[in-house]
Amino acid sequence: MQQVHILMVDDHPIIIEGYQNTLMATKKDDQTLVIDTANTCDAAHILMQKAADERPYDVCFFDISLPPSADGKITSGEDLAKISREIMPRAKVIILTMFNESYRIHNIVREISPDGFLIKSDLTSSELAEAFQHILVDPPYYSSTVSNFLNKSVVNEIYVDDINRKILHLLSKGIKTRSLTEYIDLSMSAIEKRKKQLKLLFSIEDGKDESLIIEARKKGFL
């Protein structure tokens, strides 16, 4: 028997229930699935640390939009996926998201190189089942929207690194620029420079932080 240890992270319990039911109903006869679930970054992080010490997960499903951790250090499923890569390098990482912005997709593929990348609006139960079995044996598996975006050359590819994502996240939470140095280990001039680059990147003509946040949200970076 093949025992597959799985972590599913999504802030909507009904979605997790759907995934679980699909995988259990379509698993192979020689497979036993052991599934843990989490609805927040904190809950997922605790399970991942425990698993890394005891029995690492074989497959981790991460939704991108999740309530951030209490200390603000983990802000999304993207961050959890990076942690998984560090502490459980052999675990297959599957990203599930509503975002279908080409910029966001390129960013995730570049930062994480997931073993599976599924857009929820593309997803049927049969595709989830097919993707899961495919990823166990021969990753990666990318759903049609992801494949289409990756096949197209994106002229204006926006690449936002970890620090810039953190700046956007903190600004969106109402943290003033002058206070950002308390959260990010950079000088004020370095932070200002990054904000200028972000405004150029997102074509913010009025120079306002509010406009930057609105545009970043539209493109799926928040």
mmCIF file of all heavy atoms in Angstrom, residues 106-153:
data_model
loop_
_atom_site.group_PDB
_atom_site.id
_atom_site.type_symbol
_atom_site.label_atom_id
_atom_site.label_comp_id
_atom_site.label_asym_id
_atom_site.label_seq_id
_atom_site.Cartn_x
_atom_site.Cartn_y
_atom_site.Cartn_z
ATOM 1 N N HIS A 106 3.093 34.372 -13.204
ATOM 2 C CA HIS A 106 4.531 34.353 -13.493
ATOM 3 C C HIS A 106 5.340 34.496 -12.212
ATOM 4 O O HIS A 106 6.359 33.843 -12.035
ATOM 5 C CB HIS A 106 4.904 35.479 -14.466
ATOM 6 C CG HIS A 106 4.720 35.084 -15.887
ATOM 7 N ND1 HIS A 106 5.739 34.606 -16.668
ATOM 8 C CD2 HIS A 106 3.619 35.059 -16.663
ATOM 9 C CE1 HIS A 106 5.283 34.317 -17.867
ATOM 10 N NE2 HIS A 106 3.993 34.588 -17.891
ATOM 11 N N ASN A 107 4.884 35.373 -11.338
ATOM 12 C CA ASN A 107 5.590 35.601 -10.079
ATOM 13 C C ASN A 107 5.671 34.315 -9.256
ATOM 14 O O ASN A 107 6.724 33.954 -8.723
ATOM 15 C CB ASN A 107 4.836 36.667 -9.280
ATOM 16 C CG ASN A 107 5.773 37.677 -8.656
ATOM 17 O OD1 ASN A 107 6.426 38.415 -9.371
ATOM 18 N ND2 ASN A 107 5.864 37.674 -7.355
ATOM 19 N N ILE A 108 4.538 33.622 -9.150
ATOM 20 C CA ILE A 108 4.480 32.396 -8.331
ATOM 21 C C ILE A 108 5.351 31.297 -8.945
ATOM 22 O O ILE A 108 6.097 30.617 -8.242
ATOM 23 C CB ILE A 108 3.011 31.934 -8.161
ATOM 24 C CG1 ILE A 108 2.266 32.900 -7.237
ATOM 25 C CG2 ILE A 108 2.941 30.510 -7.609
ATOM 26 C CD1 ILE A 108 0.753 32.746 -7.229
ATOM 27 N N VAL A 109 5.274 31.153 -10.258
ATOM 28 C CA VAL A 109 6.085 30.117 -10.923
ATOM 29 C C VAL A 109 7.571 30.411 -10.732
ATOM 30 O O VAL A 109 8.373 29.523 -10.444
ATOM 31 C CB VAL A 109 5.725 30.023 -12.429
ATOM 32 C CG1 VAL A 109 6.731 29.167 -13.176
ATOM 33 C CG2 VAL A 109 4.323 29.455 -12.587
ATOM 34 N N ARG A 110 7.911 31.677 -10.817
ATOM 35 C CA ARG A 110 9.317 32.082 -10.691
ATOM 36 C C ARG A 110 9.832 31.891 -9.265
ATOM 37 O O ARG A 110 10.954 31.439 -9.055
ATOM 38 C CB ARG A 110 9.402 33.550 -11.092
ATOM 39 C CG ARG A 110 10.778 34.052 -11.414
ATOM 40 C CD ARG A 110 10.565 35.382 -12.086
ATOM 41 N NE ARG A 110 11.808 36.036 -12.403
ATOM 42 C CZ ARG A 110 11.859 37.151 -13.117
ATOM 43 N NH1 ARG A 110 10.746 37.700 -13.553
ATOM 44 N NH2 ARG A 110 13.002 37.718 -13.378
ATOM 45 N N GLU A 111 8.992 32.251 -8.280
ATOM 46 C CA GLU A 111 9.422 32.200 -6.878
ATOM 47 C C GLU A 111 9.387 30.787 -6.308
ATOM 48 O O GLU A 111 10.217 30.432 -5.486
ATOM 49 C CB GLU A 111 8.495 33.090 -6.028
ATOM 50 C CG GLU A 111 8.618 34.563 -6.326
ATOM 51 C CD GLU A 111 9.417 35.293 -5.278
ATOM 52 O OE1 GLU A 111 9.205 35.048 -4.086
ATOM 53 O OE2 GLU A 111 10.277 36.104 -5.661
ATOM 54 N N ILE A 112 8.393 29.993 -6.706
ATOM 55 C CA ILE A 112 8.145 28.710 -6.031
ATOM 56 C C ILE A 112 8.383 27.504 -6.932
ATOM 57 O O ILE A 112 8.758 26.434 -6.457
ATOM 58 C CB ILE A 112 6.691 28.671 -5.480
ATOM 59 C CG1 ILE A 112 6.524 29.746 -4.417
ATOM 60 C CG2 ILE A 112 6.348 27.307 -4.897
ATOM 61 C CD1 ILE A 112 5.088 30.068 -4.098
ATOM 62 N N SER A 113 8.158 27.689 -8.232
ATOM 63 C CA SER A 113 8.211 26.553 -9.165
ATOM 64 C C SER A 113 7.373 25.388 -8.630
ATOM 65 O O SER A 113 7.877 24.305 -8.352
ATOM 66 C CB SER A 113 9.666 26.115 -9.370
ATOM 67 O OG SER A 113 9.728 25.143 -10.369
ATOM 68 N N PRO A 114 6.043 25.605 -8.478
ATOM 69 C CA PRO A 114 5.202 24.576 -7.857
ATOM 70 C C PRO A 114 5.112 23.307 -8.700
ATOM 71 O O PRO A 114 5.279 23.343 -9.918
ATOM 72 C CB PRO A 114 3.832 25.254 -7.741
ATOM 73 C CG PRO A 114 3.840 26.355 -8.737
ATOM 74 C CD PRO A 114 5.265 26.779 -8.904
ATOM 75 N N ASP A 115 4.836 22.197 -8.013
ATOM 76 C CA ASP A 115 4.658 20.918 -8.711
ATOM 77 C C ASP A 115 3.278 20.846 -9.349
ATOM 78 O O ASP A 115 3.051 20.083 -10.285
ATOM 79 C CB ASP A 115 4.830 19.764 -7.722
ATOM 80 C CG ASP A 115 6.215 19.798 -7.093
ATOM 81 O OD1 ASP A 115 7.170 19.424 -7.783
ATOM 82 O OD2 ASP A 115 6.341 20.214 -5.928
ATOM 83 N N GLY A 116 2.365 21.639 -8.817
ATOM 84 C CA GLY A 116 1.032 21.744 -9.390
ATOM 85 C C GLY A 116 0.541 23.169 -9.234
ATOM 86 O O GLY A 116 0.842 23.832 -8.228
ATOM 87 N N PHE A 117 -0.169 23.681 -10.224
ATOM 88 C CA PHE A 117 -0.675 25.059 -10.155
ATOM 89 C C PHE A 117 -2.059 25.051 -10.797
ATOM 90 O O PHE A 117 -2.187 24.855 -12.008
ATOM 91 C CB PHE A 117 0.276 25.989 -10.911
ATOM 92 C CG PHE A 117 0.112 27.453 -10.572
ATOM 93 C CD1 PHE A 117 1.159 28.333 -10.796
ATOM 94 C CD2 PHE A 117 -1.063 27.966 -10.052
ATOM 95 C CE1 PHE A 117 1.042 29.688 -10.503
ATOM 96 C CE2 PHE A 117 -1.201 29.304 -9.753
ATOM 97 C CZ PHE A 117 -0.144 30.175 -9.981
ATOM 98 N N LEU A 118 -3.076 25.216 -9.980
ATOM 99 C CA LEU A 118 -4.456 25.097 -10.454
ATOM 100 C C LEU A 118 -5.233 26.375 -10.167
ATOM 101 O O LEU A 118 -5.214 26.884 -9.054
ATOM 102 C CB LEU A 118 -5.142 23.906 -9.756
ATOM 103 C CG LEU A 118 -4.393 22.568 -9.821
ATOM 104 C CD1 LEU A 118 -5.037 21.551 -8.897
ATOM 105 C CD2 LEU A 118 -4.359 22.029 -11.242
ATOM 106 N N ILE A 119 -5.896 26.884 -11.179
ATOM 107 C CA ILE A 119 -6.769 28.046 -11.009
ATOM 108 C C ILE A 119 -8.156 27.521 -10.656
ATOM 109 O O ILE A 119 -8.700 26.675 -11.368
ATOM 110 C CB ILE A 119 -6.824 28.892 -12.306
ATOM 111 C CG1 ILE A 119 -5.418 29.305 -12.755
ATOM 112 C CG2 ILE A 119 -7.704 30.124 -12.098
ATOM 113 C CD1 ILE A 119 -4.672 30.261 -11.870
ATOM 114 N N LYS A 120 -8.708 28.021 -9.553
ATOM 115 C CA LYS A 120 -9.966 27.446 -9.054
ATOM 116 C C LYS A 120 -11.097 27.521 -10.084
ATOM 117 O O LYS A 120 -11.919 26.623 -10.166
ATOM 118 C CB LYS A 120 -10.387 28.137 -7.753
ATOM 119 C CG LYS A 120 -9.497 27.771 -6.571
ATOM 120 C CD LYS A 120 -9.986 28.462 -5.310
ATOM 121 C CE LYS A 120 -9.125 28.102 -4.123
ATOM 122 N NZ LYS A 120 -9.548 28.778 -2.898
ATOM 123 N N SER A 121 -11.110 28.601 -10.874
ATOM 124 C CA SER A 121 -12.205 28.729 -11.847
ATOM 125 C C SER A 121 -12.091 27.714 -12.983
ATOM 126 O O SER A 121 -13.043 27.443 -13.695
ATOM 127 C CB SER A 121 -12.261 30.154 -12.410
ATOM 128 O OG SER A 121 -11.001 30.504 -12.944
ATOM 129 N N ASP A 122 -10.877 27.139 -13.164
ATOM 130 C CA ASP A 122 -10.692 26.081 -14.180
ATOM 131 C C ASP A 122 -11.095 24.712 -13.629
ATOM 132 O O ASP A 122 -11.266 23.760 -14.383
ATOM 133 C CB ASP A 122 -9.193 25.910 -14.538
ATOM 134 C CG ASP A 122 -8.636 27.057 -15.348
ATOM 135 O OD1 ASP A 122 -9.426 27.869 -15.824
ATOM 136 O OD2 ASP A 122 -7.398 27.124 -15.484
ATOM 137 N N LEU A 123 -11.151 24.618 -12.307
ATOM 138 C CA LEU A 123 -11.080 23.312 -11.661
ATOM 139 C C LEU A 123 -12.407 22.553 -11.632
ATOM 140 O O LEU A 123 -13.419 23.075 -11.195
ATOM 141 C CB LEU A 123 -10.574 23.512 -10.222
ATOM 142 C CG LEU A 123 -9.856 22.349 -9.566
ATOM 143 C CD1 LEU A 123 -8.696 21.851 -10.397
ATOM 144 C CD2 LEU A 123 -9.391 22.734 -8.175
ATOM 145 N N THR A 124 -12.354 21.310 -12.071
ATOM 146 C CA THR A 124 -13.471 20.382 -11.891
ATOM 147 C C THR A 124 -12.946 19.268 -10.986
ATOM 148 O O THR A 124 -11.729 19.122 -10.810
ATOM 149 C CB THR A 124 -13.909 19.769 -13.236
ATOM 150 O OG1 THR A 124 -12.778 19.065 -13.781
ATOM 151 C CG2 THR A 124 -14.370 20.841 -14.216
ATOM 152 N N SER A 125 -13.848 18.474 -10.439
ATOM 153 C CA SER A 125 -13.380 17.390 -9.571
ATOM 154 C C SER A 125 -12.531 16.399 -10.357
ATOM 155 O O SER A 125 -11.544 15.870 -9.853
ATOM 156 C CB SER A 125 -14.561 16.694 -8.889
ATOM 157 O OG SER A 125 -15.490 16.261 -9.839
ATOM 158 N N SER A 126 -12.879 16.165 -11.619
ATOM 159 C CA SER A 126 -12.081 15.204 -12.404
ATOM 160 C C SER A 126 -10.686 15.762 -12.684
ATOM 161 O O SER A 126 -9.704 15.024 -12.685
ATOM 162 C CB SER A 126 -12.782 14.839 -13.716
ATOM 163 O OG SER A 126 -12.964 15.975 -14.510
ATOM 164 N N GLU A 127 -10.588 17.093 -12.893
ATOM 165 C CA GLU A 127 -9.256 17.660 -13.127
ATOM 166 C C GLU A 127 -8.416 17.611 -11.852
ATOM 167 O O GLU A 127 -7.219 17.338 -11.891
ATOM 168 C CB GLU A 127 -9.298 19.098 -13.649
ATOM 169 C CG GLU A 127 -7.883 19.523 -14.050
ATOM 170 C CD GLU A 127 -7.713 20.946 -14.554
ATOM 171 O OE1 GLU A 127 -8.510 21.819 -14.205
ATOM 172 O OE2 GLU A 127 -6.742 21.161 -15.292
ATOM 173 N N LEU A 128 -9.042 17.868 -10.702
ATOM 174 C CA LEU A 128 -8.309 17.799 -9.435
ATOM 175 C C LEU A 128 -7.760 16.381 -9.228
ATOM 176 O O LEU A 128 -6.593 16.198 -8.872
ATOM 177 C CB LEU A 128 -9.211 18.195 -8.267
ATOM 178 C CG LEU A 128 -8.557 18.105 -6.879
ATOM 179 C CD1 LEU A 128 -7.417 19.102 -6.736
ATOM 180 C CD2 LEU A 128 -9.581 18.338 -5.770
ATOM 181 N N ALA A 129 -8.602 15.390 -9.484
ATOM 182 C CA ALA A 129 -8.185 13.989 -9.317
ATOM 183 C C ALA A 129 -7.044 13.649 -10.278
ATOM 184 O O ALA A 129 -6.041 13.035 -9.883
ATOM 185 C CB ALA A 129 -9.371 13.067 -9.566
ATOM 186 N N GLU A 130 -7.193 14.081 -11.521
ATOM 187 C CA GLU A 130 -6.161 13.808 -12.537
ATOM 188 C C GLU A 130 -4.848 14.501 -12.166
ATOM 189 O O GLU A 130 -3.767 13.911 -12.239
ATOM 190 C CB GLU A 130 -6.653 14.318 -13.904
ATOM 191 C CG GLU A 130 -5.692 14.037 -15.043
ATOM 192 C CD GLU A 130 -6.050 14.804 -16.312
ATOM 193 O OE1 GLU A 130 -7.234 15.179 -16.482
ATOM 194 O OE2 GLU A 130 -5.143 15.040 -17.115
ATOM 195 N N ALA A 131 -4.961 15.775 -11.745
ATOM 196 C CA ALA A 131 -3.773 16.551 -11.378
ATOM 197 C C ALA A 131 -3.037 15.886 -10.216
ATOM 198 O O ALA A 131 -1.811 15.746 -10.238
ATOM 199 C CB ALA A 131 -4.171 17.978 -11.000
ATOM 200 N N PHE A 132 -3.785 15.453 -9.214
ATOM 201 C CA PHE A 132 -3.194 14.849 -8.015
ATOM 202 C C PHE A 132 -2.384 13.596 -8.378
ATOM 203 O O PHE A 132 -1.219 13.454 -7.989
ATOM 204 C CB PHE A 132 -4.307 14.516 -7.016
ATOM 205 C CG PHE A 132 -3.822 13.812 -5.776
ATOM 206 C CD1 PHE A 132 -3.018 14.459 -4.856
ATOM 207 C CD2 PHE A 132 -4.169 12.486 -5.537
ATOM 208 C CE1 PHE A 132 -2.566 13.805 -3.709
ATOM 209 C CE2 PHE A 132 -3.722 11.823 -4.400
ATOM 210 C CZ PHE A 132 -2.918 12.487 -3.481
ATOM 211 N N GLN A 133 -2.983 12.704 -9.151
ATOM 212 C CA GLN A 133 -2.304 11.461 -9.517
ATOM 213 C C GLN A 133 -1.082 11.750 -10.411
ATOM 214 O O GLN A 133 -0.034 11.123 -10.281
ATOM 215 C CB GLN A 133 -3.270 10.496 -10.220
ATOM 216 C CG GLN A 133 -4.403 9.996 -9.340
ATOM 217 C CD GLN A 133 -3.930 9.187 -8.130
ATOM 218 O OE1 GLN A 133 -2.822 8.660 -8.095
ATOM 219 N NE2 GLN A 133 -4.778 9.106 -7.103
ATOM 220 N N HIS A 134 -1.242 12.722 -11.291
ATOM 221 C CA HIS A 134 -0.153 13.097 -12.205
ATOM 222 C C HIS A 134 1.037 13.637 -11.398
ATOM 223 O O HIS A 134 2.192 13.270 -11.643
ATOM 224 C CB HIS A 134 -0.660 14.164 -13.189
ATOM 225 C CG HIS A 134 0.339 14.550 -14.237
ATOM 226 N ND1 HIS A 134 0.329 14.028 -15.503
ATOM 227 C CD2 HIS A 134 1.386 15.409 -14.196
ATOM 228 C CE1 HIS A 134 1.324 14.554 -16.202
ATOM 229 N NE2 HIS A 134 1.978 15.395 -15.427
ATOM 230 N N ILE A 135 0.742 14.511 -10.420
ATOM 231 C CA ILE A 135 1.798 15.162 -9.627
ATOM 232 C C ILE A 135 2.543 14.146 -8.761
ATOM 233 O O ILE A 135 3.752 14.259 -8.559
ATOM 234 C CB ILE A 135 1.193 16.306 -8.781
ATOM 235 C CG1 ILE A 135 0.797 17.470 -9.705
ATOM 236 C CG2 ILE A 135 2.162 16.792 -7.696
ATOM 237 C CD1 ILE A 135 -0.225 18.419 -9.117
ATOM 238 N N LEU A 136 1.838 13.128 -8.274
ATOM 239 C CA LEU A 136 2.500 12.094 -7.463
ATOM 240 C C LEU A 136 3.590 11.374 -8.260
ATOM 241 O O LEU A 136 4.628 11.012 -7.728
ATOM 242 C CB LEU A 136 1.478 11.055 -6.981
ATOM 243 C CG LEU A 136 0.564 11.451 -5.818
ATOM 244 C CD1 LEU A 136 -0.394 10.307 -5.499
ATOM 245 C CD2 LEU A 136 1.365 11.825 -4.568
ATOM 246 N N VAL A 137 3.327 11.194 -9.554
ATOM 247 C CA VAL A 137 4.227 10.378 -10.383
ATOM 248 C C VAL A 137 5.164 11.229 -11.245
ATOM 249 O O VAL A 137 6.365 10.955 -11.341
ATOM 250 C CB VAL A 137 3.395 9.446 -11.311
ATOM 251 C CG1 VAL A 137 4.316 8.585 -12.164
ATOM 252 C CG2 VAL A 137 2.461 8.582 -10.489
ATOM 253 N N ASP A 138 4.608 12.264 -11.859
ATOM 254 C CA ASP A 138 5.381 12.983 -12.874
ATOM 255 C C ASP A 138 5.030 14.474 -12.900
ATOM 256 O O ASP A 138 4.387 14.950 -13.818
ATOM 257 C CB ASP A 138 5.087 12.342 -14.252
ATOM 258 C CG ASP A 138 5.923 12.965 -15.360
ATOM 259 O OD1 ASP A 138 7.013 13.477 -15.058
ATOM 260 O OD2 ASP A 138 5.474 12.933 -16.526
ATOM 261 N N PRO A 139 5.441 15.212 -11.846
ATOM 262 C CA PRO A 139 5.134 16.646 -11.831
ATOM 263 C C PRO A 139 5.951 17.387 -12.891
ATOM 264 O O PRO A 139 6.940 16.835 -13.370
ATOM 265 C CB PRO A 139 5.560 17.075 -10.420
ATOM 266 C CG PRO A 139 6.585 16.078 -9.999
ATOM 267 C CD PRO A 139 6.222 14.781 -10.672
ATOM 268 N N PRO A 140 5.583 18.599 -13.291
ATOM 269 C CA PRO A 140 4.462 19.392 -12.760
ATOM 270 C C PRO A 140 3.169 19.175 -13.545
ATOM 271 O O PRO A 140 3.176 18.584 -14.622
ATOM 272 C CB PRO A 140 4.961 20.823 -12.960
ATOM 273 C CG PRO A 140 5.782 20.759 -14.220
ATOM 274 C CD PRO A 140 6.427 19.402 -14.207
ATOM 275 N N TYR A 141 2.069 19.695 -12.963
ATOM 276 C CA TYR A 141 0.776 19.723 -13.644
ATOM 277 C C TYR A 141 0.235 21.142 -13.479
ATOM 278 O O TYR A 141 0.005 21.587 -12.358
ATOM 279 C CB TYR A 141 -0.191 18.716 -13.020
ATOM 280 C CG TYR A 141 -1.551 18.666 -13.714
ATOM 281 C CD1 TYR A 141 -1.864 17.633 -14.586
ATOM 282 C CD2 TYR A 141 -2.511 19.665 -13.499
ATOM 283 C CE1 TYR A 141 -3.095 17.591 -15.237
ATOM 284 C CE2 TYR A 141 -3.731 19.636 -14.150
ATOM 285 C CZ TYR A 141 -4.019 18.594 -15.011
ATOM 286 O OH TYR A 141 -5.237 18.553 -15.662
ATOM 287 N N TYR A 142 0.065 21.845 -14.596
ATOM 288 C CA TYR A 142 -0.476 23.216 -14.544
ATOM 289 C C TYR A 142 -1.806 23.250 -15.285
ATOM 290 O O TYR A 142 -1.921 22.703 -16.384
ATOM 291 C CB TYR A 142 0.497 24.210 -15.201
ATOM 292 C CG TYR A 142 1.780 24.441 -14.420
ATOM 293 C CD1 TYR A 142 2.804 25.219 -14.957
ATOM 294 C CD2 TYR A 142 1.972 23.895 -13.146
ATOM 295 C CE1 TYR A 142 3.987 25.441 -14.251
ATOM 296 C CE2 TYR A 142 3.143 24.115 -12.434
ATOM 297 C CZ TYR A 142 4.144 24.890 -12.984
ATOM 298 O OH TYR A 142 5.304 25.108 -12.285
ATOM 299 N N SER A 143 -2.803 23.885 -14.687
ATOM 300 C CA SER A 143 -4.116 23.938 -15.345
ATOM 301 C C SER A 143 -4.051 24.831 -16.582
ATOM 302 O O SER A 143 -3.084 25.565 -16.794
ATOM 303 C CB SER A 143 -5.210 24.395 -14.380
ATOM 304 O OG SER A 143 -5.045 25.734 -14.015
ATOM 305 N N SER A 144 -5.115 24.774 -17.392
ATOM 306 C CA SER A 144 -5.056 25.393 -18.725
ATOM 307 C C SER A 144 -4.759 26.886 -18.678
ATOM 308 O O SER A 144 -3.952 27.388 -19.465
ATOM 309 C CB SER A 144 -6.370 25.151 -19.467
ATOM 310 O OG SER A 144 -7.459 25.619 -18.697
ATOM 311 N N THR A 145 -5.365 27.620 -17.742
ATOM 312 C CA THR A 145 -5.125 29.065 -17.669
ATOM 313 C C THR A 145 -3.652 29.346 -17.400
ATOM 314 O O THR A 145 -3.046 30.232 -18.015
ATOM 315 C CB THR A 145 -5.975 29.704 -16.546
ATOM 316 O OG1 THR A 145 -7.349 29.471 -16.825
ATOM 317 C CG2 THR A 145 -5.744 31.192 -16.434
ATOM 318 N N VAL A 146 -3.064 28.582 -16.471
ATOM 319 C CA VAL A 146 -1.647 28.778 -16.131
ATOM 320 C C VAL A 146 -0.779 28.480 -17.345
ATOM 321 O O VAL A 146 0.098 29.271 -17.711
ATOM 322 C CB VAL A 146 -1.225 27.860 -14.948
ATOM 323 C CG1 VAL A 146 0.252 28.028 -14.636
ATOM 324 C CG2 VAL A 146 -2.058 28.165 -13.709
ATOM 325 N N SER A 147 -1.029 27.349 -17.983
ATOM 326 C CA SER A 147 -0.236 26.961 -19.165
ATOM 327 C C SER A 147 -0.320 28.019 -20.251
ATOM 328 O O SER A 147 0.691 28.375 -20.870
ATOM 329 C CB SER A 147 -0.724 25.624 -19.725
ATOM 330 O OG SER A 147 -0.577 24.632 -18.750
ATOM 331 N N ASN A 148 -1.532 28.540 -20.473
ATOM 332 C CA ASN A 148 -1.708 29.557 -21.520
ATOM 333 C C ASN A 148 -0.892 30.801 -21.222
ATOM 334 O O ASN A 148 -0.246 31.367 -22.103
ATOM 335 C CB ASN A 148 -3.189 29.937 -21.672
ATOM 336 C CG ASN A 148 -3.995 28.815 -22.281
ATOM 337 O OD1 ASN A 148 -3.438 27.909 -22.890
ATOM 338 N ND2 ASN A 148 -5.311 28.846 -22.103
ATOM 339 N N PHE A 149 -0.921 31.246 -19.949
ATOM 340 C CA PHE A 149 -0.162 32.435 -19.587
ATOM 341 C C PHE A 149 1.334 32.205 -19.740
ATOM 342 O O PHE A 149 2.070 33.073 -20.186
ATOM 343 C CB PHE A 149 -0.457 32.857 -18.144
ATOM 344 C CG PHE A 149 -1.723 33.657 -17.999
ATOM 345 C CD1 PHE A 149 -2.618 33.384 -16.980
ATOM 346 C CD2 PHE A 149 -2.013 34.702 -18.868
ATOM 347 C CE1 PHE A 149 -3.790 34.116 -16.841
ATOM 348 C CE2 PHE A 149 -3.180 35.444 -18.735
ATOM 349 C CZ PHE A 149 -4.066 35.144 -17.723
ATOM 350 N N LEU A 150 1.786 31.021 -19.350
ATOM 351 C CA LEU A 150 3.219 30.747 -19.402
ATOM 352 C C LEU A 150 3.700 30.596 -20.839
ATOM 353 O O LEU A 150 4.849 30.880 -21.149
ATOM 354 C CB LEU A 150 3.554 29.488 -18.601
ATOM 355 C CG LEU A 150 3.329 29.604 -17.092
ATOM 356 C CD1 LEU A 150 3.646 28.280 -16.409
ATOM 357 C CD2 LEU A 150 4.151 30.713 -16.475
ATOM 358 N N ASN A 151 2.791 30.157 -21.712
ATOM 359 C CA ASN A 151 3.171 29.983 -23.117
ATOM 360 C C ASN A 151 3.237 31.310 -23.854
ATOM 361 O O ASN A 151 3.906 31.455 -24.860
ATOM 362 C CB ASN A 151 2.190 29.042 -23.835
ATOM 363 C CG ASN A 151 2.353 27.608 -23.344
ATOM 364 O OD1 ASN A 151 3.397 27.258 -22.821
ATOM 365 N ND2 ASN A 151 1.320 26.806 -23.481
ATOM 366 N N LYS A 152 2.488 32.293 -23.349
ATOM 367 C CA LYS A 152 2.521 33.607 -23.987
ATOM 368 C C LYS A 152 3.729 34.367 -23.452
ATOM 369 O O LYS A 152 4.064 34.260 -22.291
ATOM 370 C CB LYS A 152 1.261 34.402 -23.625
ATOM 371 C CG LYS A 152 0.010 33.938 -24.324
ATOM 372 C CD LYS A 152 -1.153 34.774 -23.833
ATOM 373 C CE LYS A 152 -2.462 34.131 -24.235
ATOM 374 N NZ LYS A 152 -3.585 34.669 -23.494
ATOM 375 N N SER A 153 4.340 35.161 -24.302
ATOM 376 C CA SER A 153 5.421 35.990 -23.754
ATOM 377 C C SER A 153 4.756 37.225 -23.164
ATOM 378 O O SER A 153 4.043 37.950 -23.837
ATOM 379 C CB SER A 153 6.393 36.386 -24.853
ATOM 380 O OG SER A 153 5.712 37.115 -25.842
#
